[in-house]
Amino acid sequence: MKRLLWIFIGMFFFLMGCQEDELTDFTQNRYIKFRFYNNLGADYYKSEYSFAYEAEEVKEKELTFPVEFRGYSLDEDLSFKVEIDTGTTLSKDSYVLPEAQIFRKGVGPIDSLKVTILRTEELQEGNKLLRLKLVSNEYFQTYMADSSFIEINVNDVLSRPEWWDSSVENAYLGKYSKAKHEEFVKCTGVEDFGELDPSAKRHYALQFKRYLEENPQWDEENNEQMQVTILG
């Protein structure tokens, strides 16, 4: 009797799962959301971009963010809609955002939202936030509220990155300053030290150390000669 009961329960949940798949995969409606590839967490919907790493002649940058839909495949290009969400501090003069974005047929269930950031003077003030939100239209409906928006912090100044924390100070690069940050990027080309594995961190920290030994730099912010803490 218990065996039959468990079989019945299993069949019930199987049928419920099929109904849910039918809702998202086989309905005539199409459902759209942002596709996040990084590890899910409190800040998985956040992104950042800085012109500070670019040459002076670079005046704009197109950023792309993956979006995906569920439902019947496309037999023609269809537009999806995006709006500027509340909380945005970046002025309209600093970005170009087509309200109607195109989901192209033939690319599968994943395409990209595109926004162009313009290198304006306000970005030299520090971080400005652009918050974008997917909105339902006649072709796509939004679902999964926590995947319907993305936040982009943009600037044109070097500021202390989150990865330059106490562990990086103590084991690799020493005390932070803007000047040292600029020299480190200039020497190594590495913009995100935090994404490196320990072996790569050691490699670039030693490369920077050798650079400073051959090209001593004075750190006016810390009123001392630039030093790193890595041994070797």
Side-chain angles (χ1 to χ4, degrees):
M1 184 68 180
K2 289 183 178 180
R3 179 180 177 84
L4 290 175
L5 178 61
W6 282 111
I7 291 174
F8 174 77
I9 293 174
M11 289 296 295
F12 172 79
F13 282 108
F14 173 77
L15 291 173
M16 290 297 292
C18 289
Q19 289 178 355
E20 182 177 353
D21 286 341
E22 182 180 355
L23 172 66
T24 56
D25 287 335
F26 301 108
T27 178
Q28 291 185 353
N29 293 326
R30 296 183 176 91
Y31 297 86
I32 195 169
K33 69 180 185 69
F34 282 108
R35 173 71 177 266
F36 299 107
Y37 291 98
N38 50 325
N39 294 329
L40 294 182
D43 296 333
Y44 68 91
Y45 54 86
K46 292 185 178 182
S47 178
E48 60 182 29
Y49 172 75
S50 177
F51 280 106
Y53 299 105
E54 303 285 1
E56 291 185 6
E57 59 267 22
V58 177
K59 300 302 181 183
E60 62 182 49
K61 180 71 173 182
E62 183 181 73
L63 304 180
T64 61
F65 301 94
V67 292
E68 69 173 336
F69 79 91
R70 302 193 70 179
Y72 284 119
S73 59
L74 307 184
D75 53 14
E76 61 179 322
D77 293 348
L78 294 178
S79 64
F80 62 94
K81 187 176 181 181
V82 61
E83 292 182 350
I84 305 301
D85 204 2
T86 55
T88 291
T89 59
L90 185 67
S91 71
K92 294 181 179 180
D93 295 332
S94 294
Y95 64 86
V96 177
L97 177 70
E99 181 178 327
Q101 304 272 334
I102 302 300
F103 212 116
R104 298 163 296 166
K105 68 174 182 179
V107 299
I110 300 176
D111 207 333
S112 297
L113 177 147
K114 298 178 176 64
V115 57
T116 300
I117 306 298
L118 306 179
R119 196 173 197 172
T120 58
E121 290 185 1
E122 73 167 317
L123 299 185
Q124 297 177 11
E125 300 171 1
N127 279 339
K128 301 294 181 179
L129 176 65
L130 178 60
R131 197 174 194 269
L132 304 179
K133 179 176 66 174
L134 294 172
V135 182
S136 297
N137 67 359
E138 63 267 38
Y139 303 118
F140 298 96
Q141 296 182 29
T142 57
Y143 76 119
M144 296 183 65
D146 61 347
S147 295
S148 65
F149 65 91
I150 192 166
E151 293 183 354
I152 314 163
N153 277 296
V154 296
N155 63 62
D156 195 8
V157 293
L158 275 180
S159 57
R160 181 168 183 159
E162 292 185 1
W163 56 257
W164 201 315
D165 55 17
S166 59
S167 64
V168 170
E169 284 194 350
N170 295 332
Y172 296 104
L173 300 180
K175 190 183 302 182
Y176 175 84
S177 74
K178 179 181 177 181
K180 183 189 281 188
H181 189 182
E182 290 174 342
E183 286 297 323
F184 176 74
V185 175
K186 173 184 173 183
C187 169
T188 65
V190 174
E191 298 177 6
D192 191 346
F193 190 79
E195 70 178 5
L196 304 178
D197 61 39
S199 176
K201 287 180 179 179
R202 177 174 174 78
H203 168 78
Y204 287 111
L206 286 173
Q207 179 180 332
F208 188 46
K209 181 177 183 178
R210 303 291 180 252
Y211 168 80
L212 292 178
E213 290 172 347
E214 297 174 4
N215 306 275
Q217 302 291 324
W218 188 259
D219 192 337
E220 295 182 1
E221 182 176 334
N222 290 325
N223 196 31
E224 61 186 23
Q225 186 173 322
M226 289 186 193
Q227 304 285 340
V228 295
T229 50
I230 191 166
L231 300 176

